Amino acid sequence: GESVGLHLPTLSVQEGDNSIINCAYSNSASDYFIWYKQESGKGPQFIIDIRSNMDKRQGQRVTVLLNKTVKHLSLQIAATQPGDSAVYFCADINQAGTALIFGKGTTLSVSS
Amino acid sequence: IAGITQAPTSQILAAGRRMTLRCTQDMRHNAMYWYRQDLGLGLRLIHYSNTAGTTGKGEVPDGYSVSRANTDDFPLTLASAVPSQTSVYFCASSDITSGGNEQFFGPGTRLTVL
């Protein structure tokens, strides 16, 4: 069935380091993927998305890489800052195309 | 109003009571969604609506109902609350006509059913 998951539930990094958060998906027909950031007590916030006809997309300090061969995507955060501490979710579109399917999330902790 | 608002922010409810969670967006998005978020389970879709007047079931629809009388509002009703419905509920919207799938989320409603 459909599932989107993240490899690690938690990730701890030092301020200034680069962070890599990984995600695996099972639906080979998925053509759209999105990363969300959720800070404590708030709703998820869009970070970046990527379509299946791309293997890389860059935003401000963030890069998403998509490997369709192994059904894996990653979110890279450059020069991680304390404000990046949050839970990060990957998501893809369900088979009906009606809504997003979310993974369980990775908690990123950034220490100074 | 800017974006999506939800009400109430939090609520403690006795089991068996009826409760409606409110959601309003001012972005004129055609699609709206309700998710519940539970520790260790991520966000799970309850119901959705692709346009005013239509609704559909998500992954966990049992015990919940929705209506979409207009573009802006998408209330979620628990007809007879049970403790397993204790969760944080998020409403979201998106403009699917533009081809995008980015969903914008509200701040959430924390519901406790005793």
Side-chain angles (χ1 to χ4, degrees), chain A residues 32 34 36 38 41-46 49 51 89 93-94 96-105, chain B residues 33 35 37 40-45 48 50 57 59 90 99-108 110:
Chain A
Y32 178 79
I34 192 166
Y36 280 90
Q38 186 177 24
K42 297 184 179 180
Q45 181 181 12
F46 170 86
D49 59 0
R51 295 204 174 273
F89 294 94
I93 293 291
N94 65 358
T98 53
L100 296 173
I101 301 294
F102 285 84
K104 294 180 174 53
Chain B
Y33 313 84
Y35 294 87
Q37 185 173 34
L41 295 176
L43 288 135
R44 293 181 292 168
L45 182 66
Y48 67 92
N50 285 337
K57 293 181 179 180
E59 180 184 356
F90 288 100
N101 292 286
E102 178 186 348
Q103 295 185 12
F104 295 82
F105 284 80
R110 183 174 296 276

Side-chain angles (χ1 to χ4, degrees), chain B residues 24-101:
Chain B
T24 299
Q25 53 106 356
D26 65 354
M27 298 175 282
R28 307 302 293 173
H29 285 169
N30 47 3
M32 298 186 74
Y33 313 84
W34 274 107
Y35 294 87
R36 60 177 289 173
Q37 185 173 34
D38 303 290
L39 191 64
L41 295 176
L43 288 135
R44 293 181 292 168
L45 182 66
I46 304 171
H47 285 287
Y48 67 92
S49 168
N50 285 337
T51 188
T54 68
T55 63
K57 293 181 179 180
E59 180 184 356
V60 287
D62 294 343
Y64 306 95
S65 63
V66 291
S67 61
R68 188 87 183 278
N70 57 62
T71 298
D72 298 342
D73 301 299
F74 191 43
L76 176 74
T77 297
L78 289 67
S80 179
V82 295
S84 62
Q85 292 178 310
T86 294
S87 187
V88 181
Y89 292 85
F90 288 100
C91 179
S93 71
S94 67
D95 179 10
I96 59 176
T97 57
S98 66
N101 292 286

Side-chain angles (χ1 to χ4, degrees), chain A residues 6-112:
Chain A
L6 291 169
H7 292 302
L8 292 174
T10 61
L11 177 65
S12 297
V13 300
Q14 292 285 323
E15 182 178 1
D17 288 350
N18 295 333
S19 301
I20 300 176
I21 301 172
N22 296 305
C23 183
Y25 62 95
S26 61
N27 182 7
S28 58
S30 293
D31 63 358
Y32 178 79
F33 304 88
I34 192 166
W35 282 97
Y36 280 90
K37 172 186 180 182
Q38 186 177 24
E39 297 174 325
S40 181
K42 297 184 179 180
Q45 181 181 12
F46 170 86
I47 303 173
I48 192 169
D49 59 0
I50 189 169
R51 295 204 174 273
S52 60
N53 59 354
M54 304 171 68
D55 54 18
K56 180 180 180 179
R57 192 172 187 206
Q58 289 183 295
Q60 186 177 14
R61 281 201 307 117
V62 296
T63 301
V64 56
L65 299 177
L66 176 63
N67 185 330
K68 295 180 287 295
T69 301
V70 294
K71 292 187 285 188
H72 177 273
L73 69 159
S74 66
L75 178 70
Q76 300 179 3
I77 304 173
T80 312
Q81 303 169 359
D84 294 327
S85 294
V87 180
Y88 290 82
F89 294 94
C90 63
D92 72 343
I93 293 291
N94 65 358
Q95 290 186 351
T98 53
L100 296 173
I101 301 294
F102 285 84
K104 294 180 174 53
T106 289
T107 299
L108 176 65
S109 298
V110 183
S111 54
S112 301

